[in-house]
Amino acid sequence: DAGVIQSPRHEVTEMGQEVTLRCKPISGHNSLFWYRQTMMRGLELLIYFNNNVPIDDSGMPEDRFSAKMPNASFSTLKIQPSEPRDSAVYFCASSFRPGIGEQFFGPGTRLTVL
Amino acid sequence: QQQVKQSPQSLIVQKGGISIINCAYENTAFDYFPWYQQFPGKGPALLIAIRPDVSEKKEGRFTISFNKSAKQFSLHIMDSQPGDSATYFCAPGNSGNTPLVFGKGTRLSVIA
């Protein structure tokens, strides 16, 4: 298996633009997670899905952030409009179950908002 | 809420020394206790994990010690090597539908 796939790996955009991050989880995994990592705040869970259904989005910082999982093999995290404080590394991870067993992380998307 | 407290924030260890990182948790429903390792530019990856039915698990130079009554578990890295330099996260969880709760991370530097 190729592991969790994220695209793009790097994104540089200007403030106010829409940003879409993409994730393909490992086939057969039922849970998908979006994290944001910064030096100041560490690794933050933004939202997670179970069987394609959003379970908890309490970590999403603002209404500018939205996430979808239209099928078991694809998820997006969208920021509209983007702001400089959104600059971070965004990770997608998947697992068989949310709270037990290994979570497999993708390589991350480094987002820079100018 | 601060469910998981990880310490220290950073750690510098001489090559060949022992690195010890601690994790304290509040939620008694946790029944799965992993440590993740993250190298610069990479995503975190599972290093070692323990279930509460044992007090210690060893895999090579890495050992988890678990103290249920104190609600703590720790990672010990024996004979630390420069290649162990990374950020380590504890991330307890349970068999319900709530996800792993990641600590703030410990940045380990092993110097020669």
Side-chain angles (χ1 to χ4, degrees):
Chain A
D1 202 317
V4 175
I5 298 172
Q6 290 188 248
S7 65
R9 292 294 311 277
H10 301 272
E11 176 82 29
V12 180
T13 190
E14 292 192 345
M15 182 174 63
Q17 296 298 304
E18 177 179 296
V19 174
T20 299
L21 311 182
R22 297 173 176 81
C23 175
K24 177 178 169 54
I26 292 174
S27 177
H29 281 185
N30 300 314
S31 299
L32 182 138
F33 311 84
W34 282 102
Y35 292 90
R36 178 173 68 176
Q37 187 173 38
T38 61
M39 288 293 291
M40 291 295 293
R41 300 176 69 90
L43 190 65
E44 302 173 275
L45 177 65
L46 301 178
I47 184 171
Y48 78 98
F49 296 82
N50 223 28
N51 296 317
N52 312 339
V53 176
I55 303 299
D56 185 354
D57 65 354
S58 60
M60 297 284 259
E62 300 172 33
D63 290 345
R64 299 183 295 105
F65 286 69
S66 62
K68 293 182 179 179
M69 191 165 186
N71 57 61
S73 59
F74 184 66
S75 177
T76 60
L77 178 68
K78 186 177 293 187
I79 308 172
Q80 165 64 16
S82 58
E83 297 183 3
R85 59 194 166 124
D86 301 330
S87 297
V89 180
Y90 290 82
F91 289 103
C92 175
S94 70
S95 69
F96 284 111
R97 297 172 68 179
I100 201 162
E102 184 171 0
Q103 260 186 39
F104 292 83
F105 281 75
T109 295
R110 180 173 294 277
L111 173 64
T112 303
V113 183
L114 303 174
Chain B
Q1 70 269 24
Q2 183 91 347
Q3 290 194 56
V4 174
K5 288 187 180 179
Q6 191 175 332
S7 61
Q9 266 190 305
S10 62
L11 183 60
I12 300 175
V13 173
Q14 292 276 351
K15 179 182 174 182
I18 301 173
S19 305
I20 302 175
I21 304 171
N22 299 299
C23 188
Y25 61 93
E26 298 174 0
N27 188 346
T28 55
F30 288 146
D31 60 5
Y32 173 66
F33 302 93
W35 285 94
Y36 278 73
Q37 180 188 53
Q38 183 181 27
F39 292 107
K42 305 288 187 182
L46 179 65
L47 178 63
I48 187 172
I50 197 170
R51 298 299 297 272
D53 51 340
V54 295
S55 60
E56 188 173 282
K57 180 177 181 180
K58 184 175 180 180
E59 291 183 357
R61 296 184 294 107
F62 300 91
T63 300
I64 290 184
S65 297
F66 175 67
N67 186 330
K68 185 175 181 178
S69 61
K71 293 189 286 185
Q72 291 182 352
F73 63 111
S74 59
L75 175 68
H76 295 235
I77 306 174
M78 311 298 289
D79 186 26
S80 300
Q81 299 297 312
D84 298 329
S85 297
T87 300
Y88 293 81
F89 297 92
C90 62
N94 63 47
S95 46
N97 272 333
T98 52
L100 301 177
V101 180
F102 279 80
K104 295 292 186 186
T106 296
R107 181 171 291 186
L108 171 66
S109 297
V110 181
I111 55 176

